Amino acid sequence: MSHAHLTVDPHFTVGTIQRRLFGGFVEHLGRHVYDGIYEPGHPSADAEGWRTDVIELVKELGVDCIRYPGGNFVSGFKWEDSVGPREERPRRLDLAWHSTETNEVGLHEFSSWLDKVGSDLMLAVNLGTRGTAEALDLIEYANVPGGTALSEQRRANGRDQPFGVKMWCLGNEMDGPWQLGHRNADDYGKIAAQTARALRQVDPDIELVACGSSSAQMPTFGAWERTVLEHAYDEVDFISCHAYYEEYDGDLDSFLASAVNMDRFIETVVDTADHVKALKKSDKTINISFDEWNVWYITRFENVDKITGMDNWPVAPRLLEDVYSVADAVVFGNLMISLLKHADRVTSASLAQLVNVIAPIMTEPGGPAWRQTTFFPFSITSRLARGAALELKLDAPTYETTRHGVVPLVDAVATHDAESGASAAFLVNRSATEPLMVTVDVAQLGDVSVLESHTLADDDIYAKNTLDEPERVAPRANDTAVIAGGTLTITLPPVSWTALALG
């Protein structure tokens, strides 16, 4: 059996873990909203039509802040369509996903749902087919207490107090040719800066996210971030990152090391932002909002599930309903490790998405809701990761991958909350065939014991939770975790994700 060694010392911190790191994303896409979170005829539906079984699962997931309403959807969205009396709201073509949007659920309704799940709102504005003027209208409607035409319209629509939205996204993936209103970096940087300045004239306390690259594989990656920030550095607080991962052509070894790509992506964007900071001789630091990340089999969508046809604009079609395996969940858990390892600069992140659409939660119309395999790494990490992320010393064997070169077989991060004294460790074994023994020096944590252990693994790494078998996969206690003489030892099964609570 191969061995790895970690040293955990609470004196060496990466950065404070912001609760917004455990954010989510709800887009008007497929069955996410309609037949997902909202199904008035469902047995569990409350008086407003929200599925309460889904609400309970979202609360269990531990999502702090939710980005809305898109995504690609927002670049063709008229926010005015989604407010006012429902019976007067127009049905619109959603060009992003070739669907029909009924606008039955809009800003007021979604805000009510957020109150039920206990999450804050991150609101995206349309800088694709619209611009600064429409963004100003939206912030007036949402954040001004009263006394103006749009704030009084909000009050007439049933919301006396402002929504008080603090975090705003300046468009979505504007580097992508697929995006309605796609611009080059120079043009986007100008409109982002202009819109940011205007929004702050209404509400100077908001936080603003400029669009970064929609993936590290984009041909404009790096140059896009530099150009956008040269225009907007003084006006924004965050630059966004988006990344999705899937197993290509049976290359499991590379897939299991996907987090290496996320690490490099983050570090490159940080270097670029700091380069612009130096050029501008600024005292301000731009952080990262990793506001779309997940495992997504995008090639399956492009080749099989894409909707086309002038006479084919369905309402809430089954789109992007990936069913996740144990291997997917292990990669997913490793991506969360990467976010935590960069907690000094990644201070906001949004899992894309939450329900039915590439989601940890699945539903059946009129039927049950259940947890996908990816639900567990998110819910457990969100609950246990508190305080600060720690800088670990890791010594682990390596292996060769086609996509990422030579990478460690083990990846890990630890957290420590100085106030409560609670610590946690999160580990993955990327080996497809062999268990690994890990020894962890925890002497600097004091006299601690293992309070919880959770390992997600299975003899069938492609096992999944489905409508027919909703509880086929779940984490189990790892009884190999033992602490003696300031050293923790644990055996990690092949293709596994593990979380430990120490105290």
Side-chain angles (χ1 to χ4, degrees):
M1 187 183 299
S2 297
H3 290 74
H5 182 78
L6 297 172
T7 300
V8 178
D9 190 332
H11 300 96
F12 296 95
T13 62
V14 173
T16 301
I17 299 165
Q18 304 296 326
R19 291 307 304 165
R20 282 195 303 208
L21 200 66
F22 306 105
F25 178 28
V26 170
E27 181 170 3
H28 283 251
L29 193 179
R31 295 194 310 121
H32 197 161
V33 176
Y34 309 110
D35 283 349
I37 65 175
Y38 179 76
E39 189 182 342
H42 192 272
S44 77
D46 65 13
E48 297 178 63
W50 306 114
R51 285 187 58 154
T52 57
D53 56 347
V54 173
I55 287 172
E56 290 308 310
L57 287 174
V58 173
K59 288 165 68 175
E60 181 185 339
L61 200 59
V63 181
D64 182 79
C65 184
I66 298 179
R67 182 171 174 247
Y68 177 83
N72 294 346
F73 172 81
V74 80
S75 291
F77 178 53
K78 298 179 179 179
W79 69 265
E80 304 95 321
D81 291 346
S82 74
V83 300
R86 276 179 167 165
E87 63 275 11
E88 297 177 11
R89 297 180 192 174
R91 293 164 68 95
R92 300 286 191 190
L93 296 182
D94 168 20
L95 302 185
W97 304 107
H98 204 87
S99 306
T100 296
E101 173 56 49
T102 67
N103 285 303
E104 189 175 354
V105 170
L107 180 58
H108 288 256
E109 292 82 14
F110 189 69
S111 181
S112 175
W113 184 79
L114 288 174
D115 290 341
K116 294 173 189 287
V117 300
S119 292
D120 294 329
L121 174 61
M122 181 194 306
L123 197 57
V125 301
N126 179 355
L127 291 187
T129 57
R130 310 187 92 186
T132 302
E134 292 84 0
L136 279 172
D137 286 347
L138 178 54
I139 197 171
E140 179 185 325
Y141 185 92
N143 281 14
V144 172
T148 67
L150 289 170
S151 62
E152 290 301 323
Q153 182 183 338
R154 182 201 69 241
R155 296 178 70 191
N157 287 337
R159 175 84 181 202
D160 185 61
Q161 296 300 312
F163 292 100
V165 181
K166 289 301 180 187
M167 197 164 184
W168 297 74
C169 299
L170 299 169
N172 175 76
E173 292 186 354
M174 299 307 298
D175 65 322
W178 59 85
Q179 201 72 210
L180 286 173
H182 162 64
R183 292 174 169 84
N184 62 36
D186 194 55
D187 289 342
Y188 170 70
K190 290 175 183 176
I191 194 172
Q194 173 183 296
T195 305
R197 284 190 292 268
L199 292 175
R200 289 198 196 279
Q201 285 184 254
V202 178
D203 188 344
D205 296 327
I206 58 174
E207 296 176 89
L208 296 169
V209 184
C211 292
S213 294
S214 49
S215 83
Q217 286 68 51
M218 293 296 291
T220 55
F221 173 54
W224 173 275
E225 281 78 3
R226 186 192 69 244
T227 302
V228 168
L229 288 177
E230 284 173 353
H231 286 290
Y233 194 94
D234 294 332
E235 319 302 336
V236 302
D237 305 286
F238 297 88
I239 188 82
S240 72
C241 291
H242 291 181
Y244 295 101
Y245 300 94
E246 62 180 297
E247 183 179 342
Y248 293 99
D249 302 321
D251 185 1
L252 178 64
D253 284 344
S254 292
F255 178 52
L256 291 171
S258 295
V260 172
N261 176 271
M262 180 182 266
D263 290 335
R264 293 169 181 167
F265 190 3
I266 292 168
E267 288 154 13
T268 301
V269 173
V270 165
D271 288 346
T272 303
D274 288 350
H275 171 70
V276 178
K277 176 181 180 177
L279 289 177
K280 289 183 170 288
K281 300 178 174 59
S282 176
D283 294 329
K284 175 182 179 179
T285 297
I286 296 290
N287 286 327
I288 290 175
S289 175
F290 215 121
D291 50 35
E292 288 189 31
W293 68 271
N294 203 346
V295 173
W296 176 15
Y297 286 84
I298 191 169
T299 54
R300 186 181 304 158
F301 167 70
E302 293 289 344
N303 297 329
V304 179
D305 296 333
K306 204 164 190 176
I307 300 171
T308 59
M310 267 294 292
D311 59 349
N312 185 25
W313 300 87
V315 174
R318 289 182 181 263
L319 271 179
L320 281 56
E321 297 195 9
D322 285 354
V323 181
Y324 291 119
S325 68
V326 171
D328 295 327
V330 171
V331 171
F332 180 102
N334 201 169
L335 298 176
M336 296 201 77
I337 288 172
S338 288
L339 295 173
L340 287 168
K341 288 196 301 184
H342 297 90
D344 57 329
R345 298 300 292 271
V346 182
T347 55
S348 177
S350 305
L351 166 62
Q353 298 187 12
L354 289 183
V355 181
N356 288 330
V357 175
I358 53 171
I361 299 167
M362 296 297 293
T363 72
E364 189 64 18
W370 65 96
R371 303 166 185 83
Q372 289 234 61
T373 59
T374 55
F375 183 98
F376 303 107
F378 193 102
S379 63
I380 295 170
T381 304
S382 174
R383 180 171 59 85
L384 296 183
R386 291 288 190 273
L390 303 183
E391 184 176 351
L392 299 188
K393 293 182 180 178
L394 171 63
D395 180 17
T398 60
Y399 74 111
E400 180 84 31
T401 69
T402 302
R403 288 179 171 268
H404 311 297
V406 177
V407 302
L409 279 169
V410 172
D411 197 14
V413 72
T415 64
H416 178 73
D417 184 7
E419 185 175 342
S420 67
S423 301
F426 306 92
L427 311 95
V428 291
N429 178 4
R430 293 169 172 159
S431 173
T433 57
E434 299 295 331
L436 273 158
M437 178 175 286
V438 181
T439 59
V440 187
D441 183 346
V442 294
Q444 293 299 316
L445 296 176
D447 185 15
V448 296
S449 59
V450 178
L451 304 179
E452 298 179 35
S453 65
H454 308 273
T455 290
L456 187 67
D458 198 279
D459 291 339
D460 177 5
I461 64 169
Y462 295 108
K464 303 172 180 179
N465 289 344
T466 64
L467 176 62
D468 293 332
E469 290 186 282
E471 298 180 359
R472 166 65 181 82
V473 176
R476 297 180 178 86
N478 191 324
D479 296 331
T480 69
V482 176
I483 295 179
T487 299
L488 182 154
T489 60
I490 186 170
T491 300
L492 307 178
V495 190
S496 65
W497 171 88
T498 294
L500 300 170
L502 308 174

